[in-house]
Amino acid sequence: TRNVIEVFFQNSRICSHQRLYGRPGQYSTTESHMPEEHQNYLKWDGDRFLQWAEKIGPYTVIAVKSILASYKIKQQGYKSCMGLLKLADKYSFNRLESACQKALSYTPHPSYKSIKNILVTGQDKISAPTTELSSSADSDQYGFTRGADYYGR
């Protein structure tokens, strides 16, 4: 109706809710209608995951913040955060921290899946090659790099 939403299952009404008139995509959830495992998420908060991530390292904290920020409703990101932080049990704090660092070098918004993939494939163990242009002799290896000497300055 204009004011009520009713949910039916096998021709029986199982619940009714007042219709929301607000912003598009707005929704409301009655806690008793949620599955038990989802009700457990209501006991958590983002700070709990951030404190847990701080024990691992700064890149893990950034990754958790990014995951939480990627959802319109923070609680929707809790499962991903839990999965991410549980990866430390399987791999180690150091490997998870390095995987988060590697993922953050690719994108400012890493996902649980991308970080897990880095750990599974062992990319966190591979250090990125560093290139430095410290002397003019090194610059010759990059092709037509001309310095001030070339132009007579």
Side-chain angles (χ1 to χ4, degrees):
T1 67
R2 283 178 65 183
N3 298 321
V4 177
I5 302 282
E6 296 180 317
V7 180
F8 289 85
F9 179 71
Q10 296 179 348
N11 295 325
S12 296
R13 187 177 77 168
I14 56 174
C15 68
S16 64
H17 298 278
Q18 183 177 356
R19 183 182 290 267
L20 295 176
Y21 289 102
R23 61 180 166 73
Q26 178 182 358
Y27 71 91
S28 173
T29 304
T30 304
E31 187 177 332
S32 62
H33 294 176
M34 295 171 72
E36 278 187 42
E37 62 273 7
H38 291 196
Q39 289 179 17
N40 290 336
Y41 290 130
L42 295 177
K43 299 174 187 167
W44 300 347
D45 65 351
D47 292 336
R48 178 177 178 178
F49 291 109
L50 292 172
Q51 289 171 358
W52 189 358
E54 284 173 357
K55 294 177 184 174
I56 297 171
Y59 294 105
T60 307
V61 170
I62 295 168
V64 167
K65 283 181 180 178
S66 175
I67 289 171
L68 291 173
S70 68
Y71 291 92
K72 286 183 180 179
I73 297 166
K74 269 189 178 180
Q75 290 84 350
Q76 293 175 339
Y78 290 175
K79 190 171 184 180
S80 293
C81 289
M82 174 65 87
L84 175 71
L85 296 169
K86 284 293 210 177
L87 289 172
D89 294 343
K90 183 173 182 182
Y91 295 98
S92 75
F93 282 16
N94 291 336
R95 285 197 61 197
L96 177 58
E97 179 68 3
S98 117
C100 289
Q101 181 178 9
K102 187 141 195 122
L104 286 162
S105 73
Y106 298 144
T107 176
H109 306 291
S111 65
Y112 160 77
K113 188 175 180 180
S114 65
I115 294 170
K116 181 179 180 189
N117 194 29
I118 289 170
L119 287 165
V120 168
T121 58
Q123 294 175 37
D124 60 301
K125 296 177 183 177
I126 302 168
S127 62
T130 56
T131 57
E132 294 182 20
L133 297 174
S134 58
S135 69
S136 61
D138 290 342
S139 65
D140 292 341
Q141 69 182 354
Y142 295 104
F144 299 108
T145 305
R146 297 179 182 133
D149 295 339
Y150 177 81
Y151 295 103
R153 293 185 195 168

